[in-house]
Amino acid sequence: MFLADGWKDFQVLDTGSGEKLERWGDYILARPDPQVIWPRTEEGLWQKAHARYLRSDRGGGTWDFHKTLPEKWVISYGELKFYVRPTGFKHTGLFPEQSANWDAMAKLLKNRPGAKVLNLFAYTGGASLACAAAGAHVTHVDAAKGMVLWAKENRALSRLPETSFRFIVEDALAFVRREIRRGNRYDGIVMDPPSYGRGPSGEVWKLENELYGLADTCAQALSDEPLFFFINSYTTGFQPAVLQNILAKTVVSRFGGEIDAEELCLPVRSGGVLPCGATGRWMRER
């Protein structure tokens, strides 16, 4: 497994009964997690939650605020800083388990100053900031304008230079196809595609129908000596081996290299680990 165990400002305190209890800086949130099918370990901890997300039978849900929370607050991962906000879709604007990938990409980039990295479905910019801090120039692409604005806020908060970023609001596949026509190539690509979504012009995205084609197109946008290609998946049923097979057929067939595909996990203070999806990592060299 890839274990994201480098956090100080974030911690999974306990899990159980379909929920996870997390500390985000000074604040504790309880959120649903369908994979948590075991009982809680430390029942008393749950009374300390500042807020709990309650799912609705009609879809979505709402936050039940037990204590006063600011609209947003800051947490850090090393020198990187992020705004955290509880959103109406239970998310907070950050996936802490992805720090395992941030560290892996930063390590690969350290010997390639000025490398060009493409981050697709880039959300609020965790991977973008990590790559830029490692010396890369990052093209950050997301179809949601609000998420791109949030990423810009995180960029400024982390005091990373504007010249290290290009922020794009667009459908991922359409953007990559245009970059190929323009002759633009990237030394590293990372993507975090949703199970289902719509682009800014109403384009429908279904992972099982689109992922292979997107990966194959992206492989054509890699430079002659690329460093990495990472694919993340939170879709139920997409095991690490699925991502490994896709990378083998689209990237290894062109460039050789190695693949490491595993579960992403977070350590839990009360014991065990919390599974958080899968990642496939292609690397030219380790």
Side-chain angles (χ1 to χ4, degrees), residues 99-132:
S99 64
N101 285 327
W102 305 344
D103 292 344
M105 288 185 287
K107 182 179 179 181
L108 293 168
L109 288 165
K110 69 178 182 180
N111 294 322
R112 185 81 67 88
K116 294 175 63 179
V117 173
L118 176 61
N119 185 8
L120 299 174
F121 310 95
Y123 197 48
T124 62
S128 297
L129 268 60
C131 290

Side-chain angles (χ1 to χ4, degrees), residues 85 123-124 140 144-155 167 169:
R85 298 185 181 105
Y123 197 48
T124 62
H140 174 110
K145 183 178 180 180
M147 294 299 104
V148 174
L149 290 174
W150 195 335
K152 290 181 177 180
E153 291 179 337
N154 287 337
R155 193 279 314 162
F167 291 100
V169 179

